[in-house]
Amino acid sequence: MSIFKIHNTLGNKKEEFIPIDKDHIRIYACGPTVYNYAHIGNARMAVVCDLLVRFMRSIYPKVTYVSNITDIDDKIINASLETNTPIKELTAKYEKVYNQDMGELGVLKPDIQPRATDHIKEMISLIDQLIKQNNAYVSDNHVLFNVSSYKNYGLLSGRNKEDQIAGSRVEVADYKNNSGDFVLWKPSSEDQPGWDSPWGKGRPGWHIECSAMSEKTLSLPFDIHGGGLDLTFPHHENEIAQSCAAHKFDDPQDYAKYWIHNGFVTMDGEKMSKSLGNIFLVNDLLKKYPGETLRLSLISSHYRQPLNWNSKIIEQAQKNLDRIYRILKDNENISIDENIHVPDNVVDALSDDLNTSKAMFEINLIADKLSKSNNKNKSALKGELVSSGKILGLFQQSPSEWLKYGKTNNNIDSNFIEELILKRNKAREVKNFQEADKIRDELTNINIEIEDTIDGTIWRSKN
RNA sequence: GGCCCGGUGUCAGAGUGGUUAUGUAGAGGACUGCAAAUCCCCGUACGGCGGUUCGAUUCCGUCCCGGGCCUCCA
């Protein structure tokens, strides 16, 4: 078995993955704040983590993947006010939409998907402990974490406070002792959601939820912590500080051993983000493209590289999938050799910090071999192709369904199409090609593509 | 100001100190009445400038360009 190498943000280098407990791998990833539709950048994180989990499951007997739902946050409060929707209704809606959309992208649901609001008690007790240990202080109804009380603060993001101050844009709130201190608990007014606490009615700060939930669901330390690149600082840095301080750990790896961060999806080279407004919503994209196409687009480049999102990469992914599904269709009646596992070349590629582009290269080679092979090894090759696809979350559909052979996209009656094809073939028999081509144009206009094969004319809906 | 990441053929995108993936687009050919699909085949790319080397896209230096984090963000 090849060694899995993973780029660890902590230390900023690729290293060998050594599990804490090889019988049980534990992974946590920061999930969405549910106040709006997820954009394709949010989806990248979900797809990358899903891929990691699928790959880990192919190596280790047991993997627990936890990804939270943040359902209390000021953005949610604002969205609730703006849309005049009760918070519970709003968060329930977008949590559901998120899971549906990610499901369409082939993202398996996390084993545990804890909600922040279900863990207020744990957060309060963690904060309480931090105060007792002088890692946190109460100021003006807020509870703040004292950054200078954790000596390894900044290790993850590779920055130190002194260097930051000069050009920093941080406005220091007057209740903070030091500029880097961050909120653990903040007061809520009457009309804001809040929970009783030793520090009055209030709500948690952003970072504390992940510390509370990861510890509760996975226990410490766990193997891999993931999220988008922009969470490195401050979110993950603060998470480490809180959890390590609370447990008197010096080493961040006593909290989580490996930290992975996916790069951004960009638009014209610029980061896609809700605040910039240059976003593509997954929900909208799914109306135009199959989820699997979007998934392949998202993993077509290495997860740490920026991914510039445009219609061209989607088309290219679609074409690549069409090609492979065509080969699978040509081999529809070949039974899969059940003894076949994912080929070494594919495993090796993924073992190299999830090199999906390289894995796709290997997969294309297998597909090519399958399409050109004689009967002897078709079963093995098909097994290799399908099992490789399974790790990537691809090629698990029926090829005919995918290629839409005999299926209409719109509400055109398939009998109507069959009639036109019959008419065309009659015209061809008497060599009336002008008439035949006219009928074909008619079909093209309604997005139907025809192929004349040895076994007759077949048709499919083009995307 | 501090820290970080990129710049590869039409596009996407790995990778490597010398044999120069793969997908996509395009040229040419086979097949087809014509297409579609398929097959064959072609283009020889690595930001600029120096250096190390027999040899660098790959290592080093430097410069240019783009992006990110330091504030909510995947």
Side-chain angles (χ1 to χ4, degrees):
Chain A
M1 193 181 74
S2 63
I3 295 159
F4 178 39
K5 292 204 208 84
I6 181 170
H7 180 95
N8 195 351
T9 307
L10 198 55
N12 198 21
K13 62 173 192 292
K14 199 151 60 170
E15 47 185 277
E16 186 181 333
F17 176 77
I18 300 164
I20 294 164
D21 172 5
K22 64 178 167 38
D23 295 323
H24 186 192
I25 307 301
R26 290 159 299 148
I27 302 171
Y28 186 93
C30 293
T33 302
V34 282
Y35 67 104
N36 207 331
Y37 289 97
H39 61 70
I40 195 72
N42 300 117
R44 190 179 194 189
M45 170 260 147
V47 168
V48 166
C49 289
D50 179 66
L51 174 76
L52 171 71
V53 170
R54 284 171 186 259
F55 182 56
M56 294 304 251
R57 289 211 172 106
S58 76
I59 303 173
Y60 296 102
K62 186 181 176 193
V63 176
T64 299
Y65 172 46
V66 179
S67 187
N68 67 289
I69 295 284
T70 298
D71 58 351
I72 173 67
D73 183 276
D74 286 5
K75 290 192 292 296
I76 294 172
I77 297 173
N78 293 338
S80 159
L81 290 172
E82 276 163 26
T83 59
N84 209 12
T85 315
I87 284 181
K88 279 252 183 261
E89 197 180 302
L90 186 89
T91 56
K93 175 187 168 184
Y94 287 114
E95 177 183 320
K96 194 173 162 209
V97 170
Y98 178 81
N99 281 328
Q100 277 171 353
D101 286 352
M102 294 310 120
E104 289 286 311
L105 298 181
V107 173
L108 304 169
K109 224 183 151 194
D111 298 297
I112 305 169
Q113 196 174 44
R115 291 189 192 93
T117 55
D118 293 334
H119 295 81
I120 302 291
K121 200 181 76 191
E122 286 81 357
M123 293 185 225
I124 289 174
S125 109
L126 202 55
I127 296 169
D128 197 42
Q129 197 169 342
L130 288 167
I131 294 173
K132 283 186 183 130
Q133 291 171 186
N134 285 322
N135 296 114
Y137 56 92
V138 181
S139 169
D140 197 16
N141 297 317
H142 290 68
V143 183
L144 290 119
F145 184 86
N146 173 12
V147 163
S148 55
S149 75
Y150 179 61
K151 74 169 184 190
N152 279 329
Y153 192 80
L155 212 60
L156 178 75
S157 52
R159 58 188 81 208
N160 67 67
K161 284 194 298 288
E162 292 70 33
D163 292 342
Q164 303 280 313
I165 290 164
S168 172
R169 289 169 287 164
V170 186
E171 264 182 60
V172 183
D174 50 14
Y175 50 78
K176 287 187 183 180
N177 288 356
N178 288 299
S179 63
D181 292 352
F182 56 89
V183 172
L184 296 169
W185 190 263
K186 61 173 110 179
S188 290
S189 62
E190 274 312 305
D191 51 347
Q192 288 173 327
W195 289 262
D196 289 328
S197 82
W199 321 287
K201 189 200 169 202
R203 58 189 193 279
W206 174 33
H207 317 294
I208 195 72
E209 55 172 286
C210 289
S211 284
M213 292 187 283
S214 61
E215 180 177 354
K216 184 175 180 200
T217 54
L218 292 173
S219 78
L220 306 184
F222 54 92
D223 294 284
I224 302 174
H225 192 127
L229 187 63
D230 46 4
L231 295 187
T232 313
F233 190 93
H235 184 56
H236 290 160
E237 196 70 71
N238 292 352
E239 226 183 292
I240 289 172
Q242 293 159 355
S243 290
C244 288
H247 295 286
K248 299 196 164 73
F249 299 151
D250 275 346
D251 186 351
Q253 292 199 310
D254 289 334
Y255 172 56
K257 202 169 167 192
Y258 302 92
W259 290 78
I260 64 163
H261 292 96
N262 61 275
F264 298 124
V265 177
T266 59
M267 263 293 288
D268 301 322
E270 258 191 306
K271 178 183 174 183
M272 189 184 284
S273 76
K274 285 175 187 171
S275 46
L276 289 175
N278 57 346
I279 54 172
F280 277 101
L281 300 179
V282 178
N283 204 263
D284 290 338
L285 287 164
L286 283 169
K287 289 170 192 157
K288 271 184 85 178
Y289 307 100
E292 192 168 335
T293 300
L294 300 175
R295 184 181 176 96
L296 179 56
S297 304
L298 284 171
I299 60 174
S300 63
S301 75
H302 185 88
Y303 77 90
R304 287 193 295 114
Q305 295 294 95
L307 177 65
N308 204 31
W309 192 259
N310 54 58
S311 58
K312 212 159 187 170
I313 69 160
I314 307 173
E315 281 160 27
Q316 289 177 4
Q318 176 79 31
K319 289 266 175 63
N320 198 180
L321 285 170
D322 281 355
R323 174 175 173 267
I324 288 172
Y325 272 118
R326 273 214 170 87
I327 292 167
L328 285 171
K329 182 169 165 54
D330 289 344
N331 293 282
E332 222 162 10
N333 51 349
I334 303 288
S335 61
I336 291 175
D337 187 337
E338 296 295 336
N339 297 315
I340 292 296
H341 300 294
V342 184
D344 287 349
N345 287 345
V346 174
V347 174
D348 287 350
L350 293 172
S351 294
D352 184 15
D353 196 28
L354 302 175
N355 192 336
T356 44
S357 336
K358 203 172 178 191
M360 278 308 292
F361 152 65
E362 299 293 350
I363 284 168
N364 276 307
L365 291 187
I366 297 165
D368 208 47
K369 272 194 216 161
L370 174 61
S371 78
K372 285 167 188 165
S373 104
N374 49 27
N375 283 325
K376 209 169 53 193
N377 50 5
K378 269 178 181 283
S379 177
L381 287 166
K382 187 176 174 184
E384 288 187 359
L385 184 57
V386 171
S387 61
S388 300
K390 197 168 180 182
I391 292 195
L392 296 179
L394 304 171
F395 330 135
Q396 304 302 305
Q397 303 184 42
S398 137
S400 296
E401 288 279 331
W402 174 267
L403 294 164
K404 300 211 183 69
Y405 277 107
K407 292 256 181 303
T408 55
N409 260 344
N410 21 41
N411 32 14
I412 297 159
D413 186 3
S414 57
N415 289 327
F416 172 66
I417 294 163
E418 302 283 0
E419 272 171 40
L420 284 177
I421 288 173
L422 206 65
K423 258 171 76 184
R424 174 174 169 271
N425 283 339
K426 276 184 180 153
R428 288 171 72 214
E429 271 170 40
V430 296
K431 303 214 186 294
N432 184 355
F433 297 123
Q434 208 180 349
E435 172 70 7
D437 290 352
K438 208 187 102 196
I439 296 168
R440 186 170 57 202
D441 289 344
E442 236 179 282
L443 287 162
T444 306
N445 285 340
I446 55 171
N447 232 16
I448 301 298
E449 184 178 79
I450 55 172
E451 296 171 25
D452 295 324
T453 73
I454 296 171
D455 305 321
T457 303
I458 55 173
W459 60 276
R460 62 182 285 254
S461 292
K462 282 172 71 174
N463 281 300

